[in-house]
Amino acid sequence: MIVVAIDGPSGAGKSSTSKLVAQRAGWNYLDTGALYRAVAWLALREKISSAEEILAAIANNTIHFIADPKSPKVFVGDVDVTTEIRTERVTESVSVISALPEIRASLLNLQRRLINEAERGIVVEGRDIGTVVAPDAPLKIYLQADIAARAARRSTEIAAPVSSVSDSLAQRDQIDSTRAVSPLAKASDAVLIDSTELDLEETVERVWELLKERSLLGLPIV
Ligand code: DC
C-alpha cells in the first residue's frame, strides 16, 4: 500500500490537489485537518477545553472518516459534521486544540489506523504527515504558496474579504508552525511545490509526474 504525504500551510491547495490525485489513482484520501476540526467541533459542542475532558468526549463520540476522495465525510459519533467543521467558529478554535499533545497522540493512532485500512494507496494531507504520521511515505510533498495567493483563493472559496482571510491565515500559520509538538514543517526528503503561479491542474500534474517517476502508480484499474 502506497502513502503519499501532502503537507503545507492553509490555502496552498492541499485538499483540492490531494482529492484529485487520489481520484485519478483510484486511491483513498485522508484529510487529517478534518479530524482536528471534528475534535474542535466536539469541544465547542460540549463547551470543554482541557485535553482530559476532550479525550473523554472523544472516547464517547467516536470520530469516523470516510476516505472516499469523491465524497469524503467526517462523523462525530452519529453526527455528520462534514459541513459544520468548516464554520468560522471551528476554524478559530482548531489551531489551539491541535496544539494539545494529548489530542495529537490520540489522533495519531486514528490516522495510522485509517492509513492501514487503505487497500492500494492513500493520499494523506495535513501538517505533519511526512514528518510524524507517515515518515516512511515513498512520496512526500510540501505544498506552499505566497500568503497573498493563499488569501485570494480562500477569500473566493468562503466569500470573505481578502484582508481578514489573510490575517486569519497568518495567525494560523504562526500557531501551527511554532507549536512544540509536531509543528508544520517540511520533511527533509519532501519535494517542495510552490503553487503561487500554478493552477490546480498544473499542481496535480506535478504530483502525478512524481508518482510516475517513482513508479508508484502500479497497474491501471480496469
Ligand atoms: O487543513 P485544515 O485547515 O483543515 O486544518 C485544520 C487545523 O488542524 C489547522 O489549524 C492545523 C491543524 N492540523 C494539524 O495540526 N495537523 C495536521 N496533520 C492537520 C491539521
Side-chain angles (χ1 to χ4, degrees), residues 90-106:
V90 172
T91 301
E92 272 168 16
S93 65
V94 64
S95 274
V96 174
I97 299 267
S98 62
L100 299 170
E102 298 88 343
I103 302 300
R104 299 203 72 82
S106 162

Side-chain angles (χ1 to χ4, degrees), residues 37 40-41 43-47 84-94:
R37 285 172 179 273
W41 178 91
L44 286 170
R45 188 188 73 177
E46 304 289 311
K47 300 185 172 61
E84 276 190 58
I85 58 167
R86 305 290 159 194
T87 58
E88 212 177 315
R89 256 178 99 222
V90 172
T91 301
E92 272 168 16
S93 65
V94 64

Side-chain angles (χ1 to χ4, degrees), residues 6-11 14-15 29 31-38 40 85-86 90-99 104 107 111 124-130 133 154 169 171-173 175-177 179 181-184:
I6 303 196
D7 291 302
S10 308
K14 295 188 303 293
S15 295
Y29 159 69
D31 173 3
T32 62
L35 305 178
Y36 286 97
R37 285 172 179 273
I85 58 167
R86 305 290 159 194
V90 172
T91 301
E92 272 168 16
S93 65
V94 64
S95 274
V96 174
I97 299 267
S98 62
R104 299 203 72 82
L107 287 186
Q111 291 168 80
V124 187
E125 65 148 302
R127 303 293 190 289
D128 60 342
I129 311 307
V133 178
R154 262 296 142 84
L169 284 178
Q171 195 186 354
R172 281 207 286 152
D173 284 357
I175 301 179
D176 293 343
S177 51
R179 64 171 173 245
V181 183
S182 50
L184 165 65

